Amino acid sequence: MKITLLIPLCLVPLAPLAAAQAIPTATTCAVSPAATDQWPEWNPGTKFATPVKQALERFKAQPSEWKTYVTPGGHTWNGDYLGFSGQGVVERWDYISLDKEDIPVVKYKGVYYRNPNTIAQNALKYYGRYLKDRQEVNKTTFLKHVDAMLAQQDGRGAMVMPYPYKAPRNFTEYAKGWVSAMSQGQAMSVFARAYDLTKDEKYLTAGRKALAFLSLPVTRGGSVSSLGNIDPSLGRYLWFEEYPQDKESKPSHVFNGHVFTVLGLYDWSQVDKTSTGRTAERLFRCGAYSLERALPYFELGGYSAYDLGHLTDGLVAPRIQLIQYPYQTVHIYQLLALYSLTKKPVYLEWANRFSHDLGQGDVSIPQP
């Protein structure tokens, strides 16, 4: 399927990373092109033929499904989040389990910890089920998960990870208490729904705190970077980092974590009708636009990259994480969610391209 690249391709090599990049804010981030933007030429050719072939073989052997993650009619801020109601909720398994309070925990190095992302996703499943069946047990369980997330939010508004972790493209291990933009975004999606459901001000306060922390750049302990490591001229294009870089590493720009964050910003912009909500709306527009412009760089010649670390050739990578094969379908349903919110054809075109990579047909959003 032919896709027209919607960014200008300049015949210049990838630029070295600037020593220091100003991180864009809600008032300075890009929502439209500038004459100074220099988008480097990108043509993967056959450079990644081997990992692409391996990913396609893995997908063929164990396909993952995108259709169940598309809400009929598209994404809504207080609806069934990405069709999560149809997914299985966490039970007492090995890698992911439930603690004594029936809150999800994830095993790291043999020890179980509460991961705010896992709690948020399980909460959203119960919320979606409550929308469908109106059973009080699902509402009660949803709110129990939300309150567990409140307990994990620190005074800064950060949804902290209570365990050390080695991010794939970092040189050093995160200390206990590290943060992720994805956690902030998913928390806002949860808090928006909890406030809409209960009108309890504590959820409004928590969402605003989560947004305030999300707005902080990596250099100040937050999780916002920019595309300035692709070319210095692209410093206006913000990116929400699922794995903030350490002092020795460079931003890697994970696709799925960025989009989960962007969806959280949209959700919050709809529930909070103050200047805080307007900030969330602006950051949503900036985050969506950054992805729109960067989409061609995720194309590896038949499969999508997990992040953009491959563009910096060794400046980012102690451990390569080029492709994670199930994420092709995650990218598809995330693009469809953005298409439903913005009506920009570019998101649907790339969702179709990624679907065709998998040997499947055109994708669409089912009618409600």
Side-chain angles (χ1 to χ4, degrees):
M1 179 179 181
K2 182 179 180 181
I3 298 290
T4 302
L5 300 187
L6 299 185
I7 64 171
L9 295 179
C10 304
L11 298 178
V12 296
L14 290 169
L17 285 144
Q21 291 283 345
I23 302 302
T25 65
T27 56
T28 63
C29 55
V31 293
S32 60
T36 54
D37 293 346
Q38 295 291 314
W39 293 95
E41 180 183 15
W42 175 246
N43 181 2
T46 60
K47 180 178 180 180
F48 305 104
T50 297
V52 165
K53 179 182 178 182
Q54 292 171 343
L56 288 170
E57 288 174 347
R58 291 190 67 188
F59 183 87
K60 184 177 179 181
Q62 190 177 0
S64 55
E65 180 61 79
W66 61 266
K67 294 180 182 178
T68 59
Y69 293 93
V70 180
T71 308
H75 184 81
T76 55
W77 69 273
N78 59 353
D80 182 7
Y81 183 91
L82 296 176
F84 274 19
S85 65
Q87 313 306 316
V89 294
V90 174
E91 299 179 16
R92 283 182 168 81
W93 304 314
D94 178 37
Y95 173 64
I96 300 177
S97 190
L98 298 172
D99 63 16
K100 62 183 180 180
E101 297 176 359
D102 289 332
I103 299 300
V105 286
V106 182
K107 185 186 290 186
Y108 294 96
K109 297 182 179 180
V111 180
Y112 286 100
Y113 299 93
R114 289 188 176 185
N115 180 318
N117 288 335
T118 309
I119 300 172
Q121 290 168 7
N122 213 46
L124 290 165
K125 294 172 188 178
Y126 282 108
Y127 174 84
R129 291 182 176 198
Y130 175 68
L131 292 183
K132 287 187 174 182
D133 60 27
R134 295 296 171 178
Q135 291 187 15
E136 284 298 312
V137 65
N138 286 326
K139 177 181 177 180
T140 300
T141 306
F142 165 67
L143 293 175
K144 182 178 181 179
H145 280 61
V146 182
D147 289 341
M149 294 180 66
L150 288 179
Q152 206 148 338
Q153 187 179 46
D154 70 11
R156 303 169 298 169
M159 306 302 303
V160 296
M161 302 285 189
Y163 53 89
Y165 182 72
K166 175 66 170 62
R169 292 192 185 273
N170 282 3
F171 285 87
T172 57
E173 184 178 71
Y174 294 131
K176 174 183 176 180
W178 64 280
V179 297
S180 169
M182 180 174 164
S183 300
Q184 301 301 121
Q186 297 222 293
M188 286 189 289
S189 291
V190 169
F191 294 146
R193 287 163 173 79
Y195 178 71
D196 184 56
L197 193 61
T198 67
K199 298 301 184 285
D200 192 323
E201 292 286 328
K202 68 182 180 181
Y203 302 128
L204 196 62
T205 299
R208 288 171 175 165
K209 289 172 62 179
L211 174 63
F213 184 81
L214 175 63
S215 302
L216 292 178
V218 173
T219 53
R220 293 176 54 195
S223 54
V224 180
S225 71
S226 81
L227 297 182
N229 65 325
I230 296 177
D231 186 274
S233 69
L234 306 179
R236 299 182 308 123
Y237 292 82
L238 62 73
W239 202 270
F240 299 108
E241 298 293 344
E242 181 176 351
Y243 299 113
Q245 69 272 18
D246 59 24
K247 291 182 179 179
E248 299 178 57
S249 309
K250 307 302 176 185
S252 58
H253 312 313
V254 174
F255 187 125
N256 83 94
H258 176 76
V259 181
F260 281 127
T261 309
V262 168
L263 292 178
L265 286 164
Y266 173 81
D267 292 346
W268 195 254
S269 75
Q270 300 302 297
V271 74
D272 190 341
K273 299 303 181 182
T274 67
S275 60
T276 303
R278 291 191 291 275
T279 296
E281 192 276 335
R282 172 75 183 195
L283 289 171
F284 161 74
R285 291 176 58 207
C286 289
Y289 189 64
S290 291
L291 178 72
E292 175 185 336
R293 303 289 281 181
L295 275 168
Y297 297 110
F298 285 95
E299 174 56 59
L300 298 178
Y303 219 88
S304 60
Y306 179 78
D307 59 25
L308 292 181
H310 55 282
L311 294 181
T312 51
D313 285 340
L315 294 179
V316 179
R319 190 173 104 213
I320 297 300
Q321 190 171 4
L322 185 66
I323 290 176
Q324 288 204 359
Y325 91 95
Y327 281 87
Q328 181 90 340
T329 51
V330 177
H331 298 165
I332 290 171
Y333 68 69
Q334 289 185 327
L335 288 168
L336 287 176
L338 289 175
Y339 174 65
S340 75
L341 295 176
T342 67
K343 306 307 181 198
K344 287 190 174 183
V346 61
Y347 300 117
L348 181 59
E349 291 170 0
W350 278 94
N352 279 322
R353 178 167 183 154
F354 292 155
S355 178
H356 282 252
D357 284 345
L358 301 176
Q360 300 177 351
D362 286 352
V363 299
S364 62
I365 299 171
Q367 293 301 310

